[in-house]
Amino acid sequence: MSKKDEIVKDRIPRHIAIIMDGNGRWAKKQGLARMFGHKQGVTTVHNITEAAAELGIGYLTLYAFSTENWNRPKEEVDALMTLLVDTIAKETPTLMKNNVRLLTIGDLERLPQTTREKFVGCIRQTAQNTGLNLVLALSYSSRWELIEAAKRIAAQVNAGTLDIDAINEATISDHLTTHGIPDPDLLIRTSGELRISNFLLWQIAYTELYFTDRLWPEFTVDDLYEAIIDYQHRERRFGKTSEQVKRES
Ligand code: FPP
């Protein structure tokens, strides 16, 4: 029996988020420059996106470039931007073929104009696709997002269009860059690091976390299946007791 056959079809996570980590270490292990790791990482993105689309996953969110990544050496930032642009140009036909809709979260205004334009073009081209939603986090961090949300909510309170006592969870969710996107069911982080690194802090309140030692360039479709199988063996209680959850299911 292959790993894929072990997946329970009616309990596929609706939203998987991934912190793709370990490109640099993978390249170093091969005696190559860091960019080779990022290039190999793109191949993994391609394979995992196709597998997620085929499984019928609703949303796949990939942490492609964090707010903090702007602090990397300029040559690496520039090369990553070029890689992103080239990848989008090359992969748009694959997205169309697989009925994948591209979305982005993050501070797109900080991206170089040509990079931003390429993403906006691909978002428009794939807007009518009805399969997997591929969400790329670009120049994204949770703290940035929460600060922006706080500013916009405060402005509404200031202007008298929002009552302070009416602020609830939905008010916050609706002002995040992820508004309209369901919270992740499963968050995967590769490379053995056990942290969240400023990613979707509000949204992962009840997300199942899965950490693997695999470096992102060597993360395979079978590894994705294994993470999903692990997720399917968990009991999601959302603060309730196990007995309550069993009674309701
Ligand atoms: C983390 O590895 C990875 C990144 C910061 C960039 C990830 C980007 C890609 C895989 C390309 C994305 C392309 C698309 C189209 C989504 P690291 O450099 O932090 O690795 P290290 O921790 O081993 O140094």
Side-chain angles (χ1 to χ4, degrees), residues 7 11-16 56-59 185-186 228 231-232:
I7 295 175
R11 284 191 54 217
I12 301 270
R14 184 176 180 206
H15 182 175
I16 298 180
I57 285 162
Y59 295 82
D185 299 297
L186 171 63
I228 294 172
Y231 161 86
Q232 291 187 329

Side-chain angles (χ1 to χ4, degrees), residues 45-107:
V45 169
H46 174 101
N47 296 339
I48 296 302
T49 303
E50 269 194 344
E54 198 191 308
L55 280 176
I57 285 162
Y59 295 82
L60 176 68
T61 299
L62 303 177
Y63 206 2
F65 194 88
S66 73
T67 306
E68 290 72 26
N69 286 154
W70 289 115
N71 299 323
R72 289 196 173 193
K74 186 178 178 319
E75 312 81 68
E76 183 168 343
V77 171
D78 290 348
L80 269 170
M81 290 299 139
T82 305
L83 183 65
L84 285 169
V85 168
D86 291 351
T87 304
I88 282 303
K90 187 164 154 255
E91 295 289 341
T92 303
T94 318
L95 299 181
M96 294 306 291
K97 188 182 104 204
N98 289 289
N99 194 22
V100 176
R101 180 168 76 134
L102 182 77
L103 301 170
T104 56
I105 55 172
D107 188 3

Side-chain angles (χ1 to χ4, degrees), residues 68-186:
E68 290 72 26
N69 286 154
W70 289 115
N71 299 323
R72 289 196 173 193
K74 186 178 178 319
E75 312 81 68
E76 183 168 343
V77 171
D78 290 348
L80 269 170
M81 290 299 139
T82 305
L83 183 65
L84 285 169
V85 168
D86 291 351
T87 304
I88 282 303
K90 187 164 154 255
E91 295 289 341
T92 303
T94 318
L95 299 181
M96 294 306 291
K97 188 182 104 204
N98 289 289
N99 194 22
V100 176
R101 180 168 76 134
L102 182 77
L103 301 170
T104 56
I105 55 172
D107 188 3
L108 282 214
E109 293 303 312
R110 276 191 82 177
L111 295 179
Q113 196 183 341
T114 45
T115 313
R116 192 169 57 242
E117 282 170 4
K118 273 278 178 288
F119 278 102
V120 171
C122 183
I123 288 168
R124 286 211 187 103
Q125 206 179 325
T126 61
Q128 304 307 321
N129 290 345
T130 54
L132 173 72
N133 292 282
L134 175 63
V135 186
L136 293 187
L138 295 165
S139 188
Y140 172 86
S141 79
S142 267
R143 289 184 176 181
W144 163 79
E145 168 182 62
L146 287 164
I147 291 166
E148 290 306 305
K151 283 183 192 166
R152 281 188 286 122
I153 293 167
Q156 287 175 35
V157 172
N158 245 349
T161 54
L162 178 64
D163 187 327
I164 205 159
D165 292 324
I167 296 174
N168 56 23
E169 284 193 13
T171 318
I172 310 288
S173 295
D174 290 348
H175 285 83
L176 298 178
T177 176
T178 51
H179 62 91
I181 298 174
D183 289 344
D185 299 297
L186 171 63

